Amino acid sequence: MTDCDLCGKGLPTLIPVRTYPPLLKFAYPEGVWKGLCETCLDSAQKTYIYIDKDEISCRRNKCVLCGHKGRVHPVELQVPDFSKGIVKKEVNVCPKCLESIDKAYVKFKREQIECSACGHGHH
């Protein structure tokens, strides 16, 4: 079991997303991997689709995935809570991580389609 890096939900497998933490850019120039659950991946990808690429976010904060300080976009999460069921929460994600999330989303959905087409029913 491993925990989603956005909502903390424990799952056996997560979807890998490459991030580029500024503090680790010399140690890991190719980036580091974060794991997201499918719900968080979908939510972050929706944010990526709806942001205007030419418009700069007026929010300035720290990205929850890579730690980059600067312009970020709010991503709404559904965080599991034992007493309340699900709690909606917003986290800040930078444009570079949102772009990586979009790439991971496309790859994940393509693999799901290919897997369902082969008829083995892995997922």
Side-chain angles (χ1 to χ4, degrees):
M1 293 293 265
T2 187
D3 295 343
C4 173
D5 284 309
L6 284 182
C7 72
K9 190 185 316 175
L11 295 168
T13 58
L14 295 171
I15 300 137
V17 174
R18 189 185 306 246
T19 63
Y20 300 90
L23 294 174
L24 300 174
K25 70 180 173 186
F26 295 112
Y28 299 101
E30 298 295 315
V32 295
W33 294 98
K34 298 287 185 170
L36 302 185
C37 67
E38 191 172 350
T39 307
C40 287
L41 186 78
D42 288 343
S43 194
Q45 206 266 342
K46 280 181 190 150
T47 300
Y48 177 78
I49 288 172
Y50 290 118
I51 60 173
D52 184 355
K53 307 298 182 279
D54 299 324
E55 181 184 315
I56 297 173
S57 169
C58 60
R59 278 189 167 203
R60 291 189 61 80
N61 213 321
K62 191 166 131 179
C63 176
V64 294
L65 286 175
C66 73
H68 176 77
K69 290 179 183 171
R71 306 259 180 229
V72 292
H73 298 278
V75 175
E76 187 178 282
L77 304 179
Q78 296 178 10
V79 181
D81 185 295
F82 289 112
S83 60
K84 298 174 188 160
I86 290 178
V87 176
K88 291 189 186 250
K89 175 183 163 188
E90 263 189 9
V91 296
N92 296 311
V93 181
C94 72
K96 194 168 185 177
C97 285
L98 285 173
E99 196 173 310
S100 289
I101 286 168
D102 183 59
K103 289 177 186 172
Y105 179 87
V106 169
K107 183 179 179 196
F108 176 70
K109 291 299 180 183
R110 187 179 301 129
E111 287 172 355
Q112 276 188 324
I113 291 167
E114 288 170 0
C115 194
S116 64
C118 73
H120 290 113
H122 295 290
H123 297 276

